[in-house]
Amino acid sequence: MRKAILTEKAPKPLGPYSQGIIEGDFLFVAGQGCTNPLTGKLERGDVRSETKQAITNLDAILQAAGSSLGDVVKCNVYLRDINDFAAMNEVYQAQFTAPFPARTTIQAGALPGGIAVEIECIAKVGKKGK
């Protein structure tokens, strides 16, 4: 049975989608960028600061579902410019612990709002989130 996750600690969806969906033992988290959930505004900066905010937003949704960054099994990272890979990877590596989630990283070109990075993930969810 699907359960939608919604927390005020992450940006509100801007369209017909959920911040996260629990299905079975997994949580599917929608792509997150550099929106500050307190203001609802994009906080564009360098790719490092945007990556940090995107992961902070992911973490808020994970926590609301009873999960955590340590429970993430897969991430998809979308970059405006693949030349930002090393800078994004530096922040990403500091936020996750080994064994690191499986990951795909691509240059997506234009991202909503002109942001530098968007990250989505799939995580295991505990009993609290069910």
Side-chain angles (χ1 to χ4, degrees):
M1 183 141 153
R2 292 178 4 160
K3 176 184 175 186
I5 300 300
L6 181 64
T7 177
E8 292 182 9
K9 295 181 180 181
K12 291 183 171 85
L14 298 175
Y17 63 91
S18 298
Q19 289 173 330
I21 290 286
I22 295 174
E23 177 67 42
D25 293 333
F26 289 95
L27 169 64
F28 300 83
V29 181
Q32 298 296 308
C34 60
T35 300
N36 179 325
L38 298 176
T39 65
K41 299 197 183 298
L42 292 174
E43 292 191 357
R44 285 188 218 98
D46 65 15
V47 74
R48 285 177 180 85
S49 68
E50 289 195 27
T51 300
K52 177 82 165 114
Q53 184 63 56
I55 293 172
T56 297
N57 292 340
L58 286 175
D59 190 40
I61 298 165
L62 291 163
Q63 295 291 328
S67 192
S68 71
L69 290 173
D71 295 316
V72 173
V73 295
K74 174 75 164 92
C75 284
N76 289 330
V77 179
Y78 306 97
L79 294 171
R80 178 179 58 210
D81 184 346
I82 200 67
N83 292 312
D84 288 334
F85 180 87
M88 175 281 301
N89 200 51
E90 178 184 308
V91 174
Y92 180 97
Q93 183 174 1
Q95 300 299 310
F96 289 94
T97 57
F100 295 104
R103 184 178 81 189
T104 300
T105 304
I106 65 164
Q107 177 174 309
L111 291 169
I115 63 175
V117 62
E118 183 173 342
I119 305 172
E120 65 180 12
C121 70
I122 301 169
K124 288 285 284 179
V125 68
K127 293 181 175 128
K128 177 180 168 190
K130 287 188 177 182

